[in-house]
């Protein structure tokens, strides 16, 4: 993509309505535009990152054996009356009537709908275990939407649902999701800590939230600092292995880490004082096991090995795809702008031409662009007739991890300048060496496919 042909409406001044860094930078970088309170249009740069994140979520769900599908955003209220949640959910649910005066709702979550699908098509334990998921727009009518995409009313979410014959099988599904989520967040350059949490309106006794530590987080969190030393890394896990998945759960949840709703001061005080931490966290996902809550209420049963019908055990598992953009920016920025981790960057590398119109500089930039594209990467070439300072400021603001700067002076010596956005360090390399280094970086940090 050439920047002269791209739609990137960057702002020079900080928007007055933006209270936190991620909201401010997403507006300034031309990623979103507010349409109504808590509802945003996703402009090309923001949409590109959103799709990178979505594709990583898909990759890791499919790796874990989960099956993608799509359900409607509008649901019948009758299903929610069956489960008993229609009145209990509260005013966050947007309730509407269609032209035939039937009660409908804009989906905030889909336990009822997926249970209805399951009970219509599955009747034998031989079809279990089964986990299906979707990535879809949801709506919760927040009383005070704020912080941009972090606390909006419309949001993009992955929600998955497991159906199992026994509690033990369902808890294995729970553990499998925990493993897949750890992989997902690390691929995005995040450390998301699983913390014992409250189930809220979803219900159930077993639940963990995944939280990214940030000063602007909505939740107060209490944890043993030893949990921040844990990384999943590139280890291979057999998702069918109960023992391997259970071992990962124990590794990542045995240290104290809880949100304020489930905080236990007595247990917290048993941690050595130098390791006790109180901070703020941004929730980016949650996993639940709630047993037969919905299958009992809605008659979702299967015939077991003994021929008797039994309600299936269920869980639900969510990742806030759109919220993750805000969380990543909160965790990775400086006073110049965003610093995208390689796994989710909208473009792999920026190319800055210091003297647009100079034949040699133009040719070198075009060759770099062609070489990076041929290697399967997606560069952004700033070919505008702008001052160098303005071009650098734009690149710093939108946060591409790598920048190749091309100018007549360097080309006389056969070199271009390769700069890391994260460290600010630059080195002079031949154009071929610069391309090779960027390609090697992304071999180690595979990105989501995106657009």
């Amino acid at each position: 993509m050439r920047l002269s042909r791209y739609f990137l409406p960057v702002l020079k001044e900080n928007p007055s309505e933006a209270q936190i860094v991620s909201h401010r930078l997403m507006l300034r970088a031309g990623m979103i535009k507010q349409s109504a309170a808590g509802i945003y249009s996703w402009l090309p740069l923001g949409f590109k990152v959103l799709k990178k994140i979505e594709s990583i979520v898909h990759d890791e769900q499919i790796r874990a054996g989960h099956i993608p599908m799509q359900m409607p955003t509008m649901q019948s209220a009758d299903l929610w009356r069956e489960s008993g949640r229609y009145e209990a959910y509260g005013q966050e649910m947007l309730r509407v009537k269609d032209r035939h005066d039937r009660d409908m709702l804009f989906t905030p979550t889909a336990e009822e709908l997926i249970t209805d699908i399951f009970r219509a098509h599955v009747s034998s334990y031989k079809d279990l275990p089964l986990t299906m998921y979707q990535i879809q727009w949801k709506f919760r009518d927040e009383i005070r939407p704020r912080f941009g995409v972090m606390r909006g009313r419309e949001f993009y979410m992955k929600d998955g649902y497991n159906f199992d014959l026994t509690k033990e099988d369902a808890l294995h599904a729970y553990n499998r999701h925990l493993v897949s989520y750890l992989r997902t967040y690390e691929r995005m350059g995040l450390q998301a800590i699983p913390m014992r949490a409250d189930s809220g309106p979803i219900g159930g006794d077993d639940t963990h939230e995944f939280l990214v530590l940030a000063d602007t987080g909505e939740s107060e969190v209490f944890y043993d600092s030893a949990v921040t030393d844990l990384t999943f890394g590139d280890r291979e896990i057999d998702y069918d292995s109960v023992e391997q998945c259970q071992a990962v759960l124990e590794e990542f949840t045995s240290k104290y880490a809880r949100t304020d709703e489930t905080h236990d001061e007595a247990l917290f005080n048993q941690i050595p004082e130098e390791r006790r931490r109180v901070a703020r966290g941004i929730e980016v996902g949650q996993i639940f096991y709630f047993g037969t809550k919905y299958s009992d209420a809605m008659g979702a049963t299967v015939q077991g090995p003994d021929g008797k019908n039994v309600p299936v055990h269920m869980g639900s598992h969510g990742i806030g795809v759109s919220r993750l953009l805000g969380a990543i920016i909160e965790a990775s920025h400086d006073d110049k702008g965003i610093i995208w981790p390689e796994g989710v960057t909208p473009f792999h590398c920026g190319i800055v031409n210091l003297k647009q119109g100079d034949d040699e500089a133009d040719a070198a930039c075009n060759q770099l662009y062609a070489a990076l594209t041929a290697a399967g990467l997606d560069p952004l070439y700033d070919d505008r007739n702008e001052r160098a300072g303005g071009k650098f400021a734009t690149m710093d603001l939108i946060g591409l991890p790598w920048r190749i700067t091309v100018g007549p002076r360097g080309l006389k010596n056969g070199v271009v300048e390769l700069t890391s956005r994260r460290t600010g360090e630059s080195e002079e390399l031949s154009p071929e060496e610069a391309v090779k280094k960027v390609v090697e970086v992304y071999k180690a940090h595979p990105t989501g496919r995106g657009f």
Side-chain angles (χ1 to χ4, degrees), residues 6-23:
Y6 198 56
F7 182 68
L8 188 68
V10 298
L11 304 176
K12 292 183 178 179
E13 303 297 328
N14 287 326
S16 58
E17 71 271 25
Q19 298 174 299
I20 62 172
V21 168
S22 58
H23 190 194

Side-chain angles (χ1 to χ4, degrees), residues 3 6-12 15 17 21-35 39-53 137 148-149 321-330 332-333 336-341 344-347 380 394-400:
L3 195 49
Y6 198 56
F7 182 68
L8 188 68
V10 298
L11 304 176
K12 292 183 178 179
E17 71 271 25
V21 168
S22 58
H23 190 194
R24 182 166 67 247
L25 290 177
M26 288 183 78
L27 289 170
R28 283 199 58 211
M31 299 179 71
I32 56 172
K33 183 183 184 302
Q34 182 170 300
S35 172
I39 301 174
Y40 293 88
S41 294
W42 290 79
L43 306 183
L45 193 72
F47 181 70
K48 200 169 177 66
V49 180
L50 187 72
K51 290 299 173 181
K52 291 285 184 77
I53 290 173
W137 290 102
V149 300
V321 176
S322 54
R323 171 179 271 246
L324 272 164
L325 272 83
I328 291 168
I329 294 170
E330 292 292 332
S332 186
H333 69 271
K336 295 178 181 178
I338 302 165
I339 305 174
W340 290 116
V344 297
T345 180
F347 295 95
L380 177 65
T394 297
M395 285 293 173
D396 285 342
L397 174 62
I398 67 175
L400 307 187

Side-chain angles (χ1 to χ4, degrees), residues 36-39 73 80 89-96 104-109 137-146 151-155 201 218:
I39 301 174
T73 57
W80 286 65
Y89 201 89
Q91 291 185 316
E92 286 187 353
M93 181 190 290
L94 183 64
R95 297 165 170 84
V96 298
M104 307 289 289
L105 58 97
F106 195 121
T107 179
T109 182
W137 290 102
K138 305 289 195 301
F139 191 91
R140 291 177 188 159
D141 202 4
E142 296 278 355
I143 188 170
R144 285 187 300 275
R146 59 193 189 278
R151 189 73 182 265
R153 292 192 294 166
E154 186 182 58
F155 55 96
E218 296 172 289

Side-chain angles (χ1 to χ4, degrees), residues 118-129 163-166 169 295 299-313:
F118 177 88
R119 70 184 177 183
H121 298 288
V122 180
S123 58
S124 171
Y125 76 96
K126 294 179 182 178
D127 295 320
L128 303 180
F163 299 88
D164 291 277
L165 182 62
T166 66
D169 292 342
S295 51
T301 63
V302 295
Q303 189 177 67
D306 59 2
K308 296 179 180 178
N309 280 351
V310 293
V312 290
H313 287 254

Side-chain angles (χ1 to χ4, degrees), residues 196-246:
R196 177 67 63 179
D198 181 68
S199 62
I202 301 293
D205 297 325
D206 291 271
T207 180
H208 281 86
E209 284 181 354
F210 292 78
L211 288 107
V212 175
L213 299 177
D215 292 340
T216 51
E218 296 172 289
S219 302
E220 187 174 30
V221 296
F222 303 80
Y223 63 97
D224 181 338
S225 64
V227 302
T228 59
D229 296 328
L230 299 173
T231 57
F232 189 85
D234 58 0
R235 69 180 91 172
E236 289 296 325
I237 292 289
D238 178 359
Y239 282 104
D240 291 329
S241 169
V242 172
E243 294 77 15
Q244 287 187 36
C245 292
Q246 178 67 26

Side-chain angles (χ1 to χ4, degrees), residues 9 81 107 130 142 176 197 201 217 270 346 353 369:
R81 290 189 176 108
T107 179
L130 179 63
E142 296 278 355
R176 192 172 66 240
Q270 292 177 18
N353 189 340
Y369 186 91

